[in-house]
Amino acid sequence: MVLPIFTVYQWGQGLCSAASGEYGSCQPNNECVLRGGIPAGPCAGGYGTCCIFMASCGGVVRENGTYFVNPNHPDSTDGTGSCQLTILKMHPDICQVRLDFDHFSLNGPEIVNHICNTDQFLVSGGSPAPTICGSATGEHMYIDAGMGQSNPIILTVITSGPSFPRSWRVRISQIPCGAIAKADQGCLQYHTGVSGRVKSFNFDPLNGRQLSNQDYSICIRTERNFCSIQYTACPGAVAGNRSRTFTLSGNSNSVVQAMVGGGTQGSPNSCTNDWLMVPCAKIADRLPMASTCEDKICGGTFNAEVSSVERTVVSTIRPFRLAFHTDSIEAPTDVDNRGFCLDYVQQPCTSNK
């Protein structure tokens, strides 16, 4: 038997991690600084350097895995103005850009209509993305980058108004057109796995405020041999004997029942302004299963029927997709809505489905 003398390393392919928590790519020792990276320790058995790429205001990104960070990173910034980053494709065969909000804290929306008036995060040049503010740590976005080499994607953080310790660290991943990690068409968020959690931006059961002017889809990859999906409101801090993990409309300082369906403007118990669309939603454990279903759920209780009791909801429509919509008006009808947090579990196929 002949033992191999050399190990072949695919430079730039594998992720490596720095002590500070960032991910980088393994580069030959002499290339990291030349490419504008920050050396963050050895990799590839000492033959390479874990290279971290960071960029801030005015930067142009060409390296996969680059972090868009605030001025003064890792400290916060209190400055106001516009901070813009340009993303250029590494090569023409890039179809999407994924943004991972490792850390994201801007001033939140104003308290009356929940509009991002002072601070804003905007994406331009790719597929439409909602303007967000407040907190988005742990969230992500997929942006369709179009075909060909041109059409850069621009990330912009606008800060204004009162003093606030703003900070952000957003990891930018470029996704090839044929990659398994590519999201389905039209999905701003794309989750994988049999179970997981989905939330609206700036959600917090105690202090968050639902953002106005949101209109996007949250997709969950259908895993092999799974035919339906169940959603349950996240367990959350209980205020006044109720959870606030699903509050989309009404005055959430009091108990607001679930409302369902599109209805018409002004019709009772329907969702005409803000809603979460769950295709053909039914109560999961009702026996026998309801013969009708609803597509829109709003109010202050998560349920597929008009009720003030939370229930687990099931949908059999594939691919699994939620759509979130809010208008530009909250007051005076809607007060202190937090948005939503749902835990999902895909359900296996059975012979009678």
Side-chain angles (χ1 to χ4, degrees):
M1 182 175 69
V2 179
L3 295 176
I5 299 175
F6 301 106
T7 302
V8 177
Y9 292 102
Q10 297 293 317
W11 299 116
Q13 299 298 311
L15 287 178
C16 51
S17 57
S20 55
E22 292 92 358
Y23 290 105
S25 60
C26 202
Q27 305 287 344
N29 286 323
N30 59 339
E31 284 193 14
C32 181
V33 174
L34 292 175
R35 296 173 63 174
I38 303 168
C43 60
Y47 290 98
T49 297
C50 188
C51 195
I52 310 292
F53 293 95
M54 289 190 180
S56 193
C57 311
V60 177
V61 170
R62 293 182 178 88
E63 296 285 351
N64 197 15
T66 298
Y67 289 91
F68 176 31
V69 298
N70 60 276
N72 300 331
H73 176 79
D75 298 325
S76 63
T77 180
D78 197 17
T80 57
S82 177
C83 181
Q84 194 169 82
L85 186 80
T86 301
I87 304 171
L88 300 179
K89 291 184 179 182
M90 296 184 299
H91 49 75
D93 188 41
I94 296 293
C95 276
Q96 293 177 340
V97 168
R98 174 173 166 138
L99 307 176
D100 280 285
F101 298 90
D102 284 4
H103 183 75
F104 186 91
S105 180
L106 300 180
N107 207 353
E110 48 84 20
I111 63 174
V112 177
N113 287 314
H114 296 188
I115 295 173
C116 296
N117 278 345
T118 58
D119 290 4
Q120 300 177 340
F121 176 84
L122 306 105
V123 181
S124 55
S127 54
T131 298
I132 66 170
C133 60
S135 174
T137 299
E139 298 300 319
H140 70 272
M141 291 182 180
Y142 281 86
I143 308 299
D144 288 333
M147 305 299 291
Q149 186 70 44
S150 57
N151 303 324
I153 292 173
I154 311 295
L155 308 183
T156 306
V157 176
I158 296 174
T159 55
S160 64
S163 175
F164 188 83
R166 302 165 174 97
S167 58
W168 63 88
R169 187 177 78 186
V170 182
R171 190 167 192 268
I172 302 163
S173 303
Q174 301 198 22
I175 301 175
C177 298
I180 193 171
K182 183 171 174 283
D184 290 348
Q185 186 72 24
C187 301
L188 183 78
Q189 294 191 315
Y190 187 64
H191 296 265
T192 60
V194 171
S195 63
R197 174 169 288 185
V198 295
K199 297 186 296 182
S200 53
F201 292 107
N202 198 43
F203 172 83
D204 182 88
L206 295 178
N207 303 308
R209 287 196 288 272
Q210 169 180 287
L211 301 181
S212 290
N213 297 315
Q214 304 290 289
D215 209 348
Y216 61 89
S217 292
I218 302 169
C219 304
I220 300 162
R221 185 179 69 194
T222 306
E223 301 299 342
R224 186 177 178 86
N225 296 324
F226 287 85
C227 285
S228 64
I229 188 166
Q230 292 186 359
Y231 301 98
T232 306
C234 300
V238 175
N241 296 321
R242 67 189 181 282
S243 167
R244 292 198 179 189
T245 54
F246 186 89
T247 51
L248 301 193
S249 46
N251 185 342
S252 69
N253 294 304
S254 58
V255 176
V256 179
Q257 66 185 6
M259 296 179 279
V260 297
T264 58
Q265 193 70 35
S267 62
N269 302 324
S270 64
C271 304
T272 55
N273 299 311
D274 303 336
W275 63 76
L276 184 68
M277 184 173 287
V278 184
C280 198
K282 300 181 181 182
I283 293 178
D285 58 354
R286 182 178 296 289
L287 294 175
M289 184 69 74
S291 58
T292 60
C293 58
E294 298 289 351
D295 282 341
K296 293 179 180 178
I297 304 176
C298 61
T301 305
F302 187 65
N303 194 318
E305 300 174 5
V306 176
S307 171
S308 56
V309 179
E310 284 184 356
R311 298 292 290 270
T312 296
V313 169
V314 64
S315 172
T316 58
I317 306 300
R318 293 178 287 176
F320 303 141
R321 180 178 293 214
L322 303 169
F324 183 46
H325 171 84
T326 61
D327 62 9
S328 61
I329 299 172
E330 290 285 290
T333 304
D334 299 337
V335 180
D336 281 346
N337 289 317
R338 306 292 197 240
F340 68 87
C341 174
L342 300 177
D343 289 324
Y344 71 82
V345 182
Q346 297 189 35
Q347 303 296 305
C349 303
T350 57
S351 58
N352 61 354
K353 288 185 179 178

